[in-house]
């Protein structure tokens, strides 16, 4: 056996398909000093028993790119290193029994056009002609991806390992990592077989072991294995060798030809957590299986026999049950963890590891080497989660649901049912009594909408008209006419204090921050390439004492980005859970807040984008005049234990002014009516401020070399390759269509862009959407042209907006 070096640039822990991909890409991109350590043999964890399906379409543009890159890489490497990946690209067919599923599939087919995929829409007769063995009477249709199929998991892993070695990476089997060494919160090395190996970076690609490995370092890695099942039949006479992979989502089953036999797999609605007695994956669990559980599998086997009646006369050769790890939202975990510098994860593939391994390895390598990633990868970033997400009680309960999410309906605005009410407001029960329908935001239970007319506050999911539309119509109209109360408590809140706090913020932010008590500044934070890393408001509480406010979902990510870029010894304090925040917005908000406080709220005394300490009912609060809905309004910050008193006071006094409770759907609609952007939808590291129309938040006048400044100057003087625009649909009704995101934007018959956000505006009776349009197109040039937005394979006539729908003077009121 080769001797393991005692020093390396980077160490990849884990020899599955994902770890081998990481090692290959790190070496290929220039870090030749890379070691991969596998405790047993390559593929011995989860990879060896994967079904090997490869599918290129994902739920977002970035995930689709990751999957497409993966398949293209496997094809390329087969030729380059002369090793078979066992690819059998006979196509993949997704079928629909229910109307909602058929809509979902047509939306996928529509989005796929953005990436020039060969995709075919089939009716049930086409499906029967394509697959004579299938029963089609209950089908509405399906979509066929001719370029998809399956591969050999072991073959793909060995292919990547061989390619990694050819690029200079060193791979060692039978080399369990006994300890990860950390010094001053930074990776120092590992201990393997009693030997220390020094390194600068580590990639943890240990699949289902990752959570318990992270736990030893106080690193939160939220995943847990569930039992995963498939069966392989006896040989079937005349089974076509070129049978496409069939995904019967509504029955939660899939089918794959396997050497003259059929492999039947399931993604059941309620799964079984693995290793239930110990809550830990055994260190020596290699090539392991669980006992058969025919009772659990039987209902799905019956569904398989209904879809392929030939199975009624076919025996089962192999019943497989083994562990597969899942995350709280069925998305992968990538990126640097916030707790330890240079410690990256690449795990939690949620049974899509073979299809994604090539792409996630590439993203991980680029992330490590560049220090950031210029793609909208937040849905995979581990920093979308908080500490409690990896606690065993939470994650074990959640994976009973998330395994099934893969084949469950991916409804718009869908909320998880398991592991709920983890974080609630002090006034939660009052909100509940007032008709709140809750969704999770930043870990908190947060009102999404409030029921009216005795409607049950519960989602009735649909791709058409939403059952909460009447509530949100009332909320948005009343807010524009009277006053609405929004709960903004989950917004991320950090405080920065110290002699150098102002200088540091000037260097991290693009706008000119004001070191003047009470001043509020909207700004972005960038990476060195000019990509938008954070979208925040900076409030000066006192000289050299600031509060930074950002969206609820980006709490850990924004905190990490700020800490990473602070070069002086200033402490960033997370105060998110210290304060409740109430947004009081609408033309009567000044009258209302004046009735509960003696402060002078006139425009002369309390201008827009300012804040001050104020007593409300003799309670100390911080109030700032800002508004994410584009109306006169105030945000009230109060300590958690005083929240019930403030909420009750405002609601009771607010009845005189026709106050309404308002949820997050209303907030989202109204911010779009005002042209306000949302990080993670409309802006991300994939965009810069010039593309997004945010150049007003750039200050080149301040004498500071802020992060991304050099790149911005080049962008400013160059050609902008895409621009964000606002569109409305002509002659449409609420939910007809339901606009979301990633819908193609057409100029005549040519795709010129894609949407990023969508909503129905009840105040302006129109479907509203934002989207990026390719270079060469301007608002003026598109005004007289035929513009369409395509949804579910139908093109709707659209028009470009010159300015936001709601263009009032709320800053000067």
């Amino acid at each position: 056996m080769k001797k393991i070096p005692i020093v390396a640039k980077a160490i990849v822990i884990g020899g599955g398909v994902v770890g081998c991909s990481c090692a290959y890409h790190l070496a290929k991109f220039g870090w030749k000093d890379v070691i991969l350590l596998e405790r047993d043999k390559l593929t011995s964890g989860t990879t060896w028993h994967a079904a090997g399906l490869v599918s290129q379409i994902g739920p977002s543009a970035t995930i689709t790119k990751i999957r497409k890159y993966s398949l293209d890489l496997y094809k390329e490497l087969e030729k380059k290193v002369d090793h078979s990946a066992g690819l059998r690209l006979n196509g993949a067919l997704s079928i629909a029994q229910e109307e909602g599923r058929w809509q979902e599939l047509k939306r996928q087919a529509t989005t796929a056009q953005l990436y020039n995929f060969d995709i075919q829409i089939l009716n049930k007769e086409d499906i029967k002609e394509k697959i004579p063995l299938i029963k089609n009477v209950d089908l509405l249709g399906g979509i066929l991806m001719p370029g998809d199929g399956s591969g050999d998991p072991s073959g793909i892993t060995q292919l990547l390992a061989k390619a990694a070695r050819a690029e200079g990476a060193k791979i060692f089997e039978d080399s369990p990592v006994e300890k990860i060494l950390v010094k001053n919160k930074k990776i120092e090395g590992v201990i393997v077989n009693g030997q220390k190996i020094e390194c600068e970076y580590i990639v943890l690609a240990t699949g289902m072991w990752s959570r318990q490995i992270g736990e030893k370092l106080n690193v939160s890695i939220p995943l847990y294995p569930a039992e995963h099942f498939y069966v392989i039949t006896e040989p079937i006479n005349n089974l076509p060798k070129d049978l496409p992979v069939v995904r019967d989502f509504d029955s939660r089953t899939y089918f794959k030809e396997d050497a003259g036999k059929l492999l039947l797999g399931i993604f059941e609605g309620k799964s079984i957590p693995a290793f239930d007695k110990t809550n830990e994956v055994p260190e020596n669990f290699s090539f392991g299986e669980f006992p058969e559980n025919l009772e659990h599998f039987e209902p799905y086997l019956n569904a398989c026999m209904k879809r392929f009646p030939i199975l009624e006369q076919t025996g089962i050769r192999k019943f497989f049950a083994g562990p597969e790890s899942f995350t709280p939202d069925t998305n992968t975990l990538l990126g640097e963890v916030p707790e330890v510098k240079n410690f990256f994860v690449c795990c939690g593939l949620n049974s899509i590891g073979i299809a994604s391994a090539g792409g996630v390895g590439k993203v991980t390598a680029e992330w490590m080497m560049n220090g950031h990633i210029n793609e909208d990868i937040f849905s995979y970033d581990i920093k979308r989660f908080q500490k409690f997400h990896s606690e065993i009680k939470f994650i074990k309960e959640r994976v009973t649901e998330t395994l099934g999410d893969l084949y469950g309906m991916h409804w718009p605005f869908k909320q998880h049912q398991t592991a709920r009410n983890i974080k609630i407001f002090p006034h939660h029960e009052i909100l509940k009594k007032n008709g709140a329908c809750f969704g999770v935001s930043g870990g908190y239970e947060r009102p999404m909408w409030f029921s009216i007319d005795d409607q049950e506050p519960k989602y009735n999911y649909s791709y058409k008209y939403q059952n909460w539309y009447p509530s949100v119509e009332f909320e948005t109209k009343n807010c524009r006419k009277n006053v609405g109360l929004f709960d903004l408590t989950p917004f991320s809140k950090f405080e920065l204090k110290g002699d150098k706090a102002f200088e540091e913020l000037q260097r991290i932010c693009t706008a000119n921050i004001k070191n003047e008590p009470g001043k509020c500044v909207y700004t972005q934070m960038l990476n060195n390439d000019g990509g938008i890393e954070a979208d925040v408001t900076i409030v000066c509480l006192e000289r050299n004492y600031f509060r930074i406010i950002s969206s609820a979902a980006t709490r850990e990510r924004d905190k990490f980005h700020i800490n990473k870029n602070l070069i002086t010894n200033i402490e960033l304090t997370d105060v998110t859970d210290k304060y409740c925040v109430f947004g009081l917005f609408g033309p009567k908000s000044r009258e209302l807040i004046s009735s509960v406080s003696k402060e002078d709220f006139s425009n002369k005394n309390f201008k827009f984008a300012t804040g001050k300490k104020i007593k409300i009912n003799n309670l100390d609060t911080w109030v700032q005049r800002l508004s994410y809905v584009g109306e006169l309004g105030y945000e009230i910050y109060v300590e958690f234990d005083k929240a019930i008193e403030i909420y009750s006071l405002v609601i009771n006094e607010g009845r005189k002014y026709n106050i309404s409770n308002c949820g997050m759907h209303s907030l989202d609609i109204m911010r779009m009516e005002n042209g306000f952007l949302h990080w993670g939808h409309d802006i991300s590291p994939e965009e810069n401020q010039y593309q997004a129309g945010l150049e007003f938040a750039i200050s080149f006048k301040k004498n500071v070399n802020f992060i991304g400044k050099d790149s911005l100057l080049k962008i400013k003087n160059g050609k902008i390759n895409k621009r964000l625009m606002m569109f409305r649909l002509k002659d449409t009704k609420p939910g007809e269509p339901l606009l979301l995101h990633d819908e193609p934007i057409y100029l005549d018959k040519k795709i010129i862009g894609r949407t990023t956000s969508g909503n129905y505006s009840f105040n302006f009776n129109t479907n509203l959407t934002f989207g990026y349009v390719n270079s060469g197109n301007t608002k003026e040039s598109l005004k007289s042209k035929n513009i369409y937005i395509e949804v579910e394979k139908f093109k709707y006539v659209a028009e470009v907006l010159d300015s936001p729908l709601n263009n009032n003077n709320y800053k000067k009121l």
Side-chain angles (χ1 to χ4, degrees), residues 120-266:
Q120 300 168 19
I121 295 183
L122 308 182
N123 59 34
K124 64 181 182 180
E125 288 77 22
D126 298 328
I127 293 170
K128 185 70 174 177
E129 185 177 343
K130 183 77 178 174
I131 307 174
L133 292 175
I134 203 168
K135 185 177 180 181
N136 70 335
V137 291
D138 60 340
L139 298 182
L140 297 175
I143 61 171
L144 177 70
M145 291 286 294
D148 286 0
S150 64
D152 170 28
S154 178
I156 292 173
T157 306
Q158 297 296 343
L159 170 76
L160 290 165
K162 189 174 180 180
R165 292 187 187 101
E167 293 289 349
K170 297 177 177 65
I171 297 177
F172 297 91
E173 297 178 304
D174 302 309
S175 301
V177 172
E178 297 157 20
K179 189 176 182 181
I180 295 173
L181 304 175
V182 176
K183 186 176 181 180
N184 297 325
K185 296 185 178 180
K186 184 179 180 181
I187 285 296
E188 185 185 32
V190 299
I191 303 290
V192 179
N193 296 329
Q195 173 189 322
K196 179 180 178 180
I197 308 173
E198 293 182 5
C199 67
E200 295 179 46
Y201 294 83
I202 282 178
V203 183
L204 193 69
T206 49
M208 59 184 169
W209 285 271
S210 300
R211 191 194 68 85
Q212 61 204 55
I213 292 171
E215 200 170 38
K216 294 175 183 176
L217 301 170
N218 197 30
V219 170
S220 176
I221 304 176
L223 55 73
Y224 193 83
E227 295 186 18
H228 195 37
F229 305 91
Y230 61 74
V231 301
I232 301 175
T233 70
E234 295 288 354
I236 298 174
N237 289 333
N238 301 319
L239 185 69
K241 296 279 186 191
D242 61 352
L243 185 76
V245 171
V246 176
R247 293 183 176 89
D248 188 352
F249 289 110
D250 291 321
S251 295
R252 297 183 174 275
T253 59
Y254 65 89
F255 308 83
K256 184 187 87 162
E257 193 276 335
D258 188 273
K261 305 175 283 291
L262 267 182
L263 183 151
L264 320 173
I266 66 170

Side-chain angles (χ1 to χ4, degrees), residues 7 17 35 41 55 101 144 242 256 327 352 413 475 481 487 507 646 661 727 745 813:
V7 179
V17 66
I35 297 172
K41 304 296 181 188
S55 175
R101 180 75 66 183
L144 177 70
D242 61 352
K256 184 187 87 162
T327 64
I352 319 173
F413 320 112
E475 292 171 21
K481 182 180 178 182
D487 208 308
R507 191 178 53 79
I646 292 293
N661 282 294
F727 301 86
I745 302 169
L813 292 173

Side-chain angles (χ1 to χ4, degrees), residues 116-117 131 190 214 316 343 373 388 398 405 443 450 454 477 500 542 545 559 595 616 619 690 697 702 743 756 760 774:
N116 295 315
F117 280 128
I131 307 174
V190 299
I316 295 175
F343 188 23
I373 193 83
F388 76 86
R398 177 55 61 84
D405 281 346
F450 288 82
D454 297 321
K477 286 183 174 179
K500 299 288 185 180
E542 298 173 10
Y545 180 16
K559 182 164 52 176
S595 70
I616 295 179
L619 295 178
Y690 287 101
K702 64 179 182 178
E743 294 109 355
T756 57
Y760 188 84
N774 299 339

Side-chain angles (χ1 to χ4, degrees), residues 56-69 72 107-119 145 375 686 741-744 746 751 753-755:
Q56 297 174 83
I57 296 182
S60 72
T62 301
I63 294 171
T64 297
K65 288 179 200 170
I66 282 173
R67 295 187 189 173
K68 185 177 189 304
Y69 172 85
D72 290 343
R107 283 176 178 263
Q108 287 183 11
T110 304
T111 300
Q113 296 168 167
L114 293 167
Y115 314 108
N116 295 315
F117 280 128
D118 179 11
I119 192 163
M145 291 286 294
E375 291 185 76
E686 200 166 309
H741 52 79
D742 288 331
E743 294 109 355
Y746 281 82
I751 294 176
R754 68 177 179 90
T755 63

Side-chain angles (χ1 to χ4, degrees), residues 652-690:
N652 290 331
E653 187 68 20
R655 292 193 180 100
K656 301 174 186 175
Y657 307 96
N658 295 320
I659 196 171
S660 58
N661 282 294
C662 298
M664 289 308 99
H665 288 308
S666 293
L667 189 77
D668 196 47
I669 290 171
M670 296 177 78
R671 67 96 184 168
M672 287 190 68
E673 290 173 345
N674 271 77
F676 298 155
L677 307 187
H678 184 273
W679 194 96
H681 283 93
D682 311 307
I683 49 176
S684 75
E686 200 166 309
E687 287 81 36
N688 61 62
Q689 290 160 293
Y690 287 101

Side-chain angles (χ1 to χ4, degrees), residues 386-414:
Q386 299 173 34
K387 281 283 187 187
F388 76 86
H389 286 111
S390 65
E391 292 172 2
I392 197 67
K393 183 178 183 299
F394 175 92
I395 192 63
K396 274 187 72 176
E397 183 182 344
R398 177 55 61 84
V399 299
T400 64
E401 181 179 6
T402 53
L403 180 148
D405 281 346
L406 278 170
Y407 274 34
M409 279 297 302
H410 303 101
W411 292 115
F413 320 112
K414 184 179 178 181

